[in-house]
Amino acid sequence: MEKVSRENFSKAQILRMIFFTTLTVSATGSSGYAILAGLKKTFVDKYGWMEEDEMMNCTSLAQSAPGPMAISGSVVVGYNLAGVSGAAAAVLGTTLPPLVIMI
């Protein structure tokens, strides 16, 4: 599959992609590391929006941050891809499935 550059997408499309990717991975994943693997599969392998080294740096940073690994990992990846709004979209997408299940 041909990788598509981020420059071909608008900011709203990137945020939508971050939200729905984290939502899907969070709904089907079981732990923080599974979420990071899903994000890597999407943003590194499928779309090529990040390099392998960038993803490893994001994983290292997420491991050193306090709180749940799933939230920390999605925040770091979302911020790396789209800044503060990307981090917000990632947090919303990651926390929504467990919140709905608990309610």
Side-chain angles (χ1 to χ4, degrees):
M1 178 177 189
E2 185 176 327
K3 298 185 180 190
V4 181
S5 176
R6 268 189 288 182
E7 288 78 30
N8 295 341
F9 293 94
S10 68
K11 179 85 168 191
Q13 289 173 321
I14 291 172
L15 292 175
R16 201 173 307 120
M17 182 74 68
I18 292 169
F19 173 76
F20 283 114
T21 300
T22 55
L23 182 81
T24 304
V25 173
S26 178
T28 59
S30 60
S31 70
Y33 291 102
I35 287 177
L36 287 173
L39 295 177
K40 178 198 174 290
K41 183 178 178 184
T42 301
F43 295 123
V44 175
D45 300 337
K46 185 175 181 182
Y47 294 114
W49 289 1
M50 296 173 70
E51 296 294 325
E52 187 81 32
D53 292 341
E54 283 179 292
M55 189 65 197
M56 292 300 288
N57 289 339
C58 288
T59 302
S60 298
L61 186 59
Q63 287 176 339
S64 65
M69 185 65 186
I71 302 295
S72 300
S74 62
V75 165
V76 172
V77 171
Y79 184 80
N80 191 21
L81 290 173
V84 174
S85 55
V91 166
L92 187 61
T94 303
T95 57
L96 196 59
L99 180 66
V100 169
I101 290 170
M102 286 190 318
I103 291 174

